[in-house]
Amino acid sequence: MAGKPGRPGASRSPKKGPTKGTGGKNKRSLEGRGPTPKAEDRAWHPAGKRKAAAERYTAAGGTGRPGGKPAAGRGGGAKKTDDTEVVTGRNSVLEALRAKIPATAFYIAQRVEMDDRVKEMLSIATHRNIPVMEVTRPELDRMAGFDGVHQGVALKVPPYEYAHPHDLLEAVLDRGEVPLFVALDGVTDPRNLGAIIRSTAAFGGHGVILPQRRSASVNSAAWKTSAGAAARLPVAVAPNLTATLKDFKKQGVFVLGLDGGGDVSLPDLELADRPVLIVVGSEGKGLSRLVTENCDQIVSIPIEAATESLNAGIATSVALYEVARRRAE
């Protein structure tokens, strides 16, 4: 009598357990290929490609790891891969080299269009023994990061060295000059900071003061927007902005806050020829309460009613121009 049918395509082993003589079958295939290599040791893996790029950059004297993800946020610009910054753009790079910033590497795109600025950069870098690396444009794109424009050149520089507000004020008073400073209150966009640095330098200001918290920093995006002015104009960090304003007032400096609802219109300002510190708030929230309470005057810029407000960088430029114009009379 036939037994119970088995599953289609299945066979029955006469007994359970291993079959005699199978212990060494395909022994080599069972041994495997050894441990899996690390991702960075696989040339085709993204981590391996980043490692190879890092080795190329290290040869130029840098220690960063280029080729990573671009920096996020509005700041954009060149990313920070270690404790250094990457300055991009021909004007910014040239100004940094002229100011003798201790750069660690100068990058130039292959087949870049040579103009007088590029020739001067190469001359300065060669004279100062700064390693010059010729790289591809995609590599420069990665160094410049999100929304970065490098114009075929980049410069790796150390972190920005901030001054102390009191040191800046003392230096100006020792030179017998009339102080003109700008302080930022809640300005977090580094591109606004770069524009303010550029305007302050253009209109004879002596420095920019940043609060230690909730503020943009002098990063690569600020360098780029300042068009190199960050290499010439000192920037200080105040541990406590309100306390710094009080100290400046004790030294005879008038603190002026910029705000659309100010009690004094900019054309009517009578303190332009005095020692002045102009405080600029964020475009959204404006000046904070404590800062407002410590201002000698709140100054407004007259604009058309259809325009709600001015960008922080533009408002600062207008105010600085008016102060410079009054002082030149």
Side-chain angles (χ1 to χ4, degrees), residues 292-303:
T292 301
E293 292 175 354
N294 284 279
C295 289
D296 294 301
Q297 287 184 343
I298 303 298
V299 182
S300 63
I301 299 174
I303 58 177

Side-chain angles (χ1 to χ4, degrees), residues 53-105:
E55 291 174 350
R56 291 198 301 272
Y57 290 121
T58 302
T63 58
R65 295 189 303 164
K69 294 181 179 179
R74 286 190 65 193
K79 63 184 180 300
K80 193 175 180 180
T81 54
D82 45 23
D83 61 345
T84 62
E85 287 287 348
V86 178
V87 179
T88 60
R90 298 193 180 189
N91 286 336
S92 300
V93 170
L94 181 56
E95 288 293 341
L97 288 170
R98 286 174 175 173
K100 298 182 179 180
I101 300 296
T104 57

